Amino acid sequence: HPAGTAGGQAVPAHWKSVDLLASREPLDAAADCDLIGQIRRKVLPLFAIRSLEFHAACARGQVVIASTRLKTQVLAPDPSTAAAASASR
């Protein structure tokens, strides 16, 4: 939960860069156009994000090279905080 919401506790956090297609070949990334669009619509709203770079120009039955991109920064707990939470379980 973001700070200030009911039931939430503030924890140290940092912005982490995420590029879902960084390690993919351009042809493979273009083929995942619909999937990247679904991630943008259904998964990203579950996280605190900033600096979104999204582009998915899907063409039915065609792969459009360099048409799919999803980069953002996600608010993530600091590693020491995540390790402490795991240890207390």
Side-chain angles (χ1 to χ4, degrees):
H1 295 276
T5 60
Q9 179 181 357
V11 296
H14 63 281
W15 290 103
K16 178 179 180 180
S17 294
V18 176
D19 184 345
L20 289 183
L21 301 170
S23 63
R24 303 290 307 272
E25 293 295 324
L27 182 61
D28 293 335
D32 287 340
C33 183
D34 287 329
L35 175 62
I36 295 302
Q38 289 178 25
I39 290 170
R40 161 67 172 91
R41 288 186 306 276
K42 296 180 180 181
V43 177
L44 287 186
L46 302 175
F47 296 90
I49 65 168
R50 70 178 186 186
S51 302
L52 177 64
E53 293 180 36
F54 169 76
H55 182 72
C58 305
R60 181 171 284 210
Q62 294 181 340
V63 175
V64 182
I65 303 294
S67 66
T68 307
R69 176 176 58 249
L70 182 56
K71 297 179 185 179
T72 191
Q73 292 183 343
V74 178
L75 191 60
D78 287 344
S80 59
T81 305
S86 294
S88 67
R89 289 183 186 175

